[in-house]
Amino acid sequence: MRRLWVLLAAGVVALVVAVSAVASRGDGSDDGAYRVRAIFDNASFIIAGGDVKVAGVNAGTIESVDVTPDNKAVAVLRITDPAFQDFRRDATCNIGLQSLIGEQYVECVPTQKRGDGIPVPGPLAAIRSGEGKGQHLLPVSQTSSPVGPDLLANIMRVPQRERFRLIIAELGTGLAGNGGELRTVIRRANPTLQQANKLVEILAKQNRTIERLVAQSDEALAPLANRTDDLKTFIARSGDTAEAVAARGDALEENLRRLPGFLDELEPAARRIGALSDQLGPAVANLTSRAPELNQTVERLGDFSNAATPALRSLGDAADQGRETFPRIMRLANQLDELGTPLAPLAKDLAELGDSFDRTGGITHILRLLYFYTASLNGKDGIAHYIRTTIVPDGSCLDRSPVVSASCVGRFLPQEDDAESRAASRSSSGDVTKARKQLETLLGPEGTR
């Protein structure tokens, strides 16, 4: 009896383990992988273990391939890359050709590109119960199965060629009641048709905007039609510009290579400019409040500008004359430069001499020398200053001759004759005073001054 209970307990445990394993496999939580259950119209050439790519990067593998009750292909995609485990409701998947031997893979787009301000769609819904529980369902409307080029090439071979002819012959009969499904399959089979259909839907929603665009474009193109010559010139010059840019392609490439470094250096400058703009806010506000006065000033400057026009024209004439004058001045400057170059050492020596002369008080000593030398040559008597030494422009003095001339005789009294010389000086002083009185009598007081 005890043995029977042990066997029953072991069976229950095994059953629980099996159920847990199946449940964990169904919800995709056994290894933490992210699973997408993608439904395709046709998936006959993909196999378990194939690649799943996102933007050309391997993001996971095809875990299994099965058939749904409504004869659709279902592929369970096991996404192992954490960066792509966020499929959105607008996600799409299509089957692509891996190589020329017929191997295929699944290419997925977790979410579509959108502009700024457009809300991001919600996450791809997960299956809550039943087969594929826990997996994220991607409906057949968001998948496509393009026909591979190898299959198209096989049409030209036997026996596919005969089979294709039979298919074409019987296609009308087979699709007599399935035209809608055929149209749906064709649209899903070609991603381009899917995108074209979405484009048409967007255009249909924006028909009023397109209508206004057409109406306004007529108004915008009317002035352009009147300036067709300018448009032709613009197109011709654009071609010349493109040709010039192509000729400097290496330089342009070098500029683009340096652009990131320039932008890195520009960022701090942009911050400083932003701070300057913030600080300029009050100044701009004050200028705004003073706008009427500024307008009046600008209007008054018109008369000043008109009055300054003749002066500006005269400056133009002076500039024309300067075109002739400045080349001549340039030649003179070159000559001065040639002259100044050899004089530079002399000027340096003179500068050092002058500096030394100034430091040692040379000017003071020269002035003292002149002062005392002059004092030593001049004398003073009772009447006025006199010069002890002078040049007499008389030929008799300059002639070397032993003959004594009375006009050249000069006698200096010895020291012991001072009394006699003073008496003679007083006598000569009286004679001078008498002569001055006689001149005053003849010429008057004003004439003797």
Side-chain angles (χ1 to χ4, degrees):
M1 185 70 176
R2 179 178 296 176
R3 184 177 181 182
L4 178 61
W5 280 107
V6 171
L7 292 174
L8 290 175
V12 171
V13 171
L15 180 62
V16 171
V17 171
V19 171
S20 299
V22 172
S24 65
R25 183 177 179 181
D27 59 9
S29 61
D30 57 339
D31 54 359
Y34 184 90
R35 288 177 170 81
V36 177
R37 191 176 184 86
I39 309 300
F40 293 92
D41 285 313
N42 183 10
S44 58
F45 291 96
I46 60 173
I47 59 175
D51 294 335
V52 177
K53 297 183 179 182
V54 175
V57 179
N58 286 336
T61 58
I62 302 173
E63 187 174 80
S64 62
V65 180
D66 203 350
V67 180
T68 63
D70 56 348
N71 296 324
K72 303 292 183 182
V74 55
V76 178
L77 312 179
R78 182 171 177 269
I79 309 300
T80 57
D81 193 335
F84 304 115
Q85 294 181 352
D86 58 346
F87 276 57
R88 298 287 170 172
R89 293 179 182 176
D90 60 343
T92 59
C93 289
N94 66 289
I95 298 175
L97 187 63
Q98 180 84 349
S99 63
L100 296 177
I101 61 175
E103 183 180 359
Q104 295 185 347
Y105 69 99
V106 177
E107 176 78 20
C108 293
V109 178
T111 185
Q112 302 298 322
K113 295 181 180 180
R114 60 187 58 82
D116 297 336
I118 300 177
V120 180
L124 191 62
I127 301 175
R128 298 183 178 275
S129 61
E131 187 176 4
K133 179 181 178 182
Q135 300 173 1
H136 300 270
L137 180 62
L138 186 66
V140 68
S141 59
Q142 295 175 224
T143 63
S144 61
S145 304
V147 178
D150 55 337
L151 296 179
L152 294 177
N154 287 337
I155 295 176
M156 306 306 297
R157 299 178 181 176
V158 178
Q160 284 82 1
R161 183 170 56 190
E162 284 76 7
R163 293 175 181 174
F164 182 69
R165 184 176 57 186
L166 295 174
I167 291 173
I168 295 298
E170 301 296 333
L171 184 62
T173 303
L175 297 177
N178 297 315
E181 295 183 2
L182 177 62
R183 180 180 59 186
T184 303
V185 170
I186 292 175
R187 288 180 177 176
R188 286 200 299 266
N190 193 336
T192 303
L193 294 178
Q194 292 184 10
Q195 299 300 326
N197 191 24
K198 293 180 181 179
L199 175 62
V200 173
E201 292 178 359
I202 295 173
L203 293 178
K205 295 178 182 179
Q206 301 292 332
N207 56 353
R208 294 185 179 274
T209 303
I210 295 174
E211 181 180 359
R212 289 195 300 269
L213 176 62
V214 172
Q216 294 174 0
S217 63
D218 292 338
E219 298 177 0
L221 293 176
L224 185 61
N226 297 329
R227 304 188 64 179
T228 54
D229 295 338
D230 295 339
L231 181 60
K232 293 178 182 178
T233 303
F234 170 75
I235 294 174
R237 292 181 178 177
S238 298
D240 297 338
T241 303
E243 184 178 355
V245 171
R248 301 296 298 274
D250 295 337
L252 181 60
E253 184 179 356
E254 180 66 17
N255 291 337
L256 294 177
R257 187 184 66 80
R258 296 181 179 181
L259 182 60
F262 169 75
L263 295 177
D264 293 339
E265 296 179 0
L266 182 63
E267 185 176 0
R271 293 197 190 99
R272 291 194 292 269
I273 293 174
L276 176 63
S277 300
D278 296 336
Q279 295 176 2
L280 286 177
V284 174
N286 293 333
L287 287 176
T288 303
S289 63
R290 297 295 182 182
E293 291 83 354
L294 292 174
N295 292 335
Q296 293 178 0
T297 302
V298 173
E299 291 176 357
R300 293 174 180 176
L301 283 175
D303 298 334
F304 173 77
S305 300
N306 295 331
T309 300
L312 294 176
R313 291 176 180 173
S314 300
L315 287 176
D317 297 337
D320 293 336
Q321 184 64 32
R323 290 191 179 95
E324 301 178 359
T325 304
F326 280 109
R328 300 175 183 175
I329 296 177
M330 195 64 188
R331 289 194 296 269
L332 177 61
N334 293 333
Q335 294 174 358
L336 291 176
D337 183 45
E338 294 176 357
L339 177 63
T341 301
L343 291 178
L346 175 61
K348 182 178 179 181
D349 295 339
L350 290 176
E352 293 178 355
L353 176 61
D355 183 59
S356 176
F357 198 75
D358 186 45
R359 288 198 312 270
T360 57
I363 296 177
T364 303
H365 294 319
I366 289 177
L367 293 177
R368 287 179 179 177
L369 174 62
L370 293 176
Y371 176 78
F372 290 118
Y373 181 73
T374 303
S376 66
L377 295 179
N378 296 337
K380 181 178 181 183
D381 54 12
I383 300 175
H385 292 274
Y386 64 89
I387 299 176
R388 291 190 177 93
T389 304
T390 184
I391 299 175
V392 179
D394 191 352
S396 60
C397 291
L398 300 177
D399 189 12
R400 293 175 179 264
S401 175
V403 178
V404 178
S405 176
S407 62
C408 291
V409 173
R411 185 171 67 88
F412 295 92
L413 295 178
Q415 186 69 27
E416 57 272 10
D417 294 338
D418 287 344
E420 184 179 354
S421 65
R422 284 195 297 271
S425 175
R426 286 194 297 270
S427 177
S428 62
S429 176
D431 295 338
V432 171
T433 302
K434 185 178 180 180
R436 179 177 296 175
K437 289 181 178 180
Q438 292 176 356
L439 288 173
E440 289 180 355
T441 303
L442 294 173
L443 302 176
E446 298 296 332
T448 60
R449 293 181 182 178

